[in-house]
Amino acid sequence: MTEEKVIVANNLTRTFGKFTAVDHISFDVRRGEIFGFLGANGAGKTTATKMLTGILSSSGGYATVAGFDIKKHRNRLKKNIGYMSQKFSLYEDLTLKENIRFYGGIYGLSKKETAAKTGEIVERLDLKQIENTLISEIPLGWKQKIAFSVAIIHSPKIVFLDEPTSGVDPITRRQFWNLIYEAAENGITVFVTTHYMDEAEYCDRISMMTEGKIAALGSLHELLTKYNSKSMDEVFIKLAR
Amino acid sequence: MIAIQNISKSYGDVKALNSISFRVEKGQLFGLIGPDGSGKTSLFRILTSLLKPTSGKATVAGFNTVTDYKDIRKIVGYMPERFSLYMDLTVEENLKFFATVFNTTIRENYHLIEEIYQMLEPFKNRRAGDLSGGMKQKLALSCALIHKPEILLLDEPTTGVDPVSRKDFWDILKKLQKSGITTLVSTPFMDDAELCDEVALVQKGEILKMDTPQNLANGFPHKLWKIVSENNYRTLKVLDEFETKISAFSFGNSVHLATGDDVDEQAIVNHLKQHNVKLISIAIIKAHIEDVFMDLMSHEKGSS
């Protein structure tokens, strides 16, 4: 049996006028893998992620995500992935329960399924006392944990996390990563960008982009050996300079 | 240079700052280290005279932040966390704009920004909105410096910035310090703390602890072990049942375990072995600021 691949990218390219933001990148991500997508500011990470999530069209090459061609099946693709970023995740002026109901509706869950999911999230994150509180009144660390649970409410094959822990306190940051591990153990593939290099080390495999290309890709152990480094921080600096 | 006395700030029922006091001496590089929501931005807005405290008093270079706001605005270079640049102006236009507002020219204080601006020069006709995160921050710093301020107030200048640009940014701050500028900088990155002369660890509007980074690290009250194993996640779960554990947190590909002084290596090794953890290495290490911060946090809230 061949391993299931949740992302296959082949020479994926995106140009803006004369500028090539993403330059023929090719990689696979396996089912249940935690895949760290790193790079310097301006290296093309955001552009690549936008193509993989169906927000931006590609200029060349092809890719499939969760089994859908990113060019031909953009809308179906969007329904079958989860997405969460630091900047936009939940509606601040809706309560916790309303947010869950909203996203359940967006992703086509039935009333019954949504209710079941709501109960599950509230119980797992221990949120009973704030389930009717406006999101704007909930501390950031909790919000990010809720946002992650909401992003996988429709049990997608893959969830994209864009700097999910930026500005979060160090204990909550680690609790957040426990949620990521749990999701991965349940077979959800996790595609994550971060500027915290300790978090990069939690990933099964790490890809590093520089100037539109993938400069390195491998497990932490492989990258440390190849670049003769003690930490991912060192690897990053060697590659990005 | 900066004196903060019992500053509190409330927004309705929410206490953003709860009786904060500290001083930043002339020429110091002082760091406010803490997560979002710890009140850092409110404090910066009070110091720049943009916000009035609910109670308490602050002075910047001897000027009162409430009554002497006009004087303060002339001598302070402020880099807010969001919106400090005009995104539809070019790099050069932004810089010119800030110079003009402060009644000076780029040429007059070019020496202050020369090194940073050289990195930006190739993009000088690019709109600020089209710059990468790291470049935006360098431009914002140039704009905050162009009127030759005595004090720099930088609110999370390295958030969203990659590790290389972050290092570059701190190198620049160190150099500015040598030219005599006093800097108060906030950051959620705990490892940035080590680059400051003195830091205040802040959380929920209060100072958890304040000292030099060395003293903070040395003051970690427990024995700290670095454990490298084949699977961090499993190791953490197994350590949950280690009775004499004080705390265990992942740190990259290792786990930091805090214990009392009486716990020896053999006890830990045995426990891991009993639970089939494949241990690669174990050693006693010096605490990082992040260890210190998490230890202080868990006293605060009893872990949520």
Side-chain angles (χ1 to χ4, degrees):
Chain A
M1 213 180 91
T2 53
E3 237 175 335
E4 193 184 336
K5 285 173 179 164
V6 178
I7 298 182
V8 178
N10 204 326
N11 284 316
L12 191 61
T13 300
R14 172 71 204 205
T15 53
F16 295 101
K18 281 184 193 157
F19 177 64
T20 306
V22 174
D23 192 359
H24 296 86
I25 60 170
S26 301
F27 66 97
D28 298 335
V29 180
R30 298 185 281 261
R31 180 167 185 264
E33 190 171 35
I34 303 174
F35 189 82
F37 198 60
L38 311 187
N41 295 120
K45 268 181 328 203
T46 306
T47 305
T49 308
K50 279 185 176 167
M51 287 192 281
L52 294 174
T53 49
I55 298 169
L56 187 73
S57 61
S58 55
S59 321
Y62 79 87
T64 60
V65 175
F68 299 100
D69 187 312
I70 60 162
K71 238 181 169 132
K72 290 183 198 141
H73 304 298
R74 262 161 94 165
N75 287 332
R76 276 158 74 196
L77 162 71
K78 284 186 208 162
K79 278 192 182 158
N80 285 281
I81 60 172
Y83 177 80
M84 171 199 165
S85 78
Q86 197 237 337
K87 283 164 206 146
F88 174 80
S89 40
L90 300 167
Y91 289 91
E92 296 276 315
D93 46 3
L94 295 182
T95 67
L96 166 57
K97 270 174 107 175
E98 287 166 345
N99 264 285
I100 299 176
R101 204 168 77 211
F102 175 80
Y103 280 100
I106 290 261
Y107 286 116
L109 266 61
S110 69
K111 272 190 179 162
K112 219 173 156 185
E113 286 169 325
T114 304
K117 278 283 177 189
T118 306
E120 195 187 303
I121 293 171
V122 167
E123 192 182 329
R124 187 156 46 98
L125 298 179
D126 195 13
L127 302 169
K128 192 76 194 156
Q129 75 277 26
I130 57 159
E131 62 179 10
N132 293 312
T133 306
L134 290 183
I135 288 296
S136 57
E137 288 165 19
I138 296 176
L140 175 78
W142 288 29
K143 253 192 260 188
Q144 296 305 80
K145 285 189 264 183
I146 298 162
F148 179 69
S149 304
V150 169
I152 57 172
I153 194 167
H154 54 307
S155 311
K157 280 193 177 164
I158 180 165
V159 60
F160 290 85
L161 307 175
D162 188 9
E163 292 185 39
T165 58
S166 181
V168 173
D169 74 67
I171 291 183
T172 311
R173 211 150 67 75
R174 285 164 172 81
Q175 291 168 345
F176 190 89
W177 272 87
N178 285 340
L179 294 180
I180 292 182
Y181 284 127
E182 259 173 49
E185 279 191 349
N186 291 327
I188 296 180
T189 306
V190 179
F191 184 98
V192 58
T193 68
T194 180
H195 288 311
Y196 287 100
M197 289 302 112
D198 60 331
E199 293 187 351
E201 296 189 359
Y202 303 154
C203 299
D204 296 318
R205 282 192 307 150
I206 304 155
S207 127
M208 168 80 191
M209 272 188 91
T210 55
E211 293 172 357
K213 296 193 171 72
I214 290 184
L217 175 63
S219 68
L220 173 66
H221 182 73
E222 284 163 2
L223 294 182
L224 295 184
T225 312
K226 186 167 177 192
Y227 296 97
N228 191 21
S229 300
K230 284 197 189 70
S231 67
M232 209 35 229
D233 199 41
E234 244 183 278
V235 173
F236 192 104
I237 287 162
K238 279 183 184 164
L239 283 166
R241 281 251 190 253
Chain B
M1 248 347 216
I2 302 174
I4 296 160
Q5 289 164 35
N6 302 318
I7 286 278
S8 291
K9 178 71 196 177
S10 300
Y11 303 98
D13 294 337
V14 182
K15 266 204 158 157
L17 292 168
N18 193 4
S19 197
I20 295 252
S21 300
F22 67 88
R23 296 171 63 88
V24 180
E25 306 302 334
K26 190 169 163 50
Q28 233 184 359
L29 179 54
F30 192 103
L32 274 177
I33 318 287
D36 288 3
S38 51
K40 303 189 300 284
T41 298
S42 292
L43 186 61
F44 276 102
R45 293 179 60 83
I46 288 170
L47 292 177
T48 46
S49 77
L50 301 173
L51 192 69
K52 282 183 187 168
T54 309
S55 62
K57 182 187 160 197
T59 60
V60 173
F63 296 115
N64 185 297
T65 56
V66 178
T67 52
D68 309 324
Y69 65 94
K70 280 187 183 165
D71 301 293
I72 287 185
R73 291 179 188 183
K74 279 180 211 146
I75 56 159
V76 158
Y78 175 41
M79 187 172 154
E81 191 188 351
R82 291 199 185 86
F83 188 73
S84 59
L85 298 170
Y86 290 91
M87 293 303 166
D88 46 3
L89 294 185
T90 65
V91 167
E92 202 175 14
E93 284 167 346
N94 264 290
L95 200 54
K96 236 180 219 164
F97 172 82
F98 283 96
T100 312
V101 165
F102 284 103
N103 219 354
T104 179
T105 59
I106 297 178
R107 198 183 309 150
E108 198 169 324
N109 295 312
Y110 187 71
H111 63 281
L112 269 175
I113 61 159
E114 187 172 1
E115 197 184 342
I116 319 167
Y117 197 67
Q118 274 169 1
M119 297 185 234
L120 287 165
E121 197 114 49
F123 313 106
K124 71 177 180 188
N125 294 318
R126 194 180 283 188
R127 281 198 259 179
D130 296 334
L131 292 174
S132 71
M135 286 294 174
K136 265 185 203 146
Q137 296 307 74
K138 281 172 194 150
L139 176 59
L141 180 62
S142 301
C143 292
L145 279 169
I146 199 63
H147 63 293
K148 203 180 179 212
E150 290 171 41
I151 298 169
L152 265 182
L153 297 171
L154 311 174
D155 192 7
E156 295 208 14
T158 57
T159 292
V161 170
D162 72 64
V164 170
S165 303
R166 193 147 66 86
K167 277 207 168 68
D168 288 346
F169 199 90
W170 277 94
D171 286 344
I172 294 166
L173 293 190
K174 284 283 186 197
K175 280 185 189 151
L176 287 171
Q177 187 185 16
K178 282 191 188 126
S179 73
I181 289 183
T182 307
T183 303
L184 176 66
V185 56
S186 71
T187 173
F189 290 98
M190 302 282 148
D191 45 354
D192 283 346
E194 276 149 40
L195 302 163
C196 301
D197 300 321
E198 195 174 349
V199 296
L201 304 180
V202 290
Q203 156 99 346
K204 292 180 190 159
E206 288 180 19
I207 293 178
L208 296 173
K209 213 166 188 181
M210 184 162 50
D211 211 327
T212 63
Q214 293 77 11
N215 285 347
L216 282 175
N218 292 337
F220 187 74
H222 318 295
K223 213 169 177 176
L224 191 66
W225 308 81
K226 179 178 176 173
I227 299 172
V228 182
S229 63
E230 281 199 342
N231 183 336
N232 256 358
Y233 187 50
R234 240 193 88 66
T235 304
L236 279 171
K237 279 197 165 163
V238 165
L239 286 172
D240 263 349
E241 289 150 34
F242 187 57
E243 277 168 19
T244 43
K245 163 195 102 160
I246 290 167
S247 69
F249 292 112
S250 53
F251 270 77
N253 70 338
S254 67
V255 168
H256 287 190
L257 168 72
T259 68
D261 278 342
D262 50 338
V263 175
D264 65 5
E265 188 175 312
Q266 205 51 49
I268 302 167
V269 173
N270 286 344
H271 179 82
L272 294 175
K273 217 181 236 171
Q274 268 167 30
H275 293 82
N276 301 317
V277 168
K278 284 200 176 136
L279 184 67
I280 293 168
S281 67
I282 177 165
I284 293 178
I285 54 159
K286 224 182 108 178
H288 295 195
I289 297 292
E290 194 152 348
D291 293 300
V292 176
F293 196 94
M294 288 196 284
D295 189 56
L296 293 167
M297 262 182 89
S298 34
H299 294 310
E300 274 281 298
K301 63 172 183 181
S303 150
S304 71

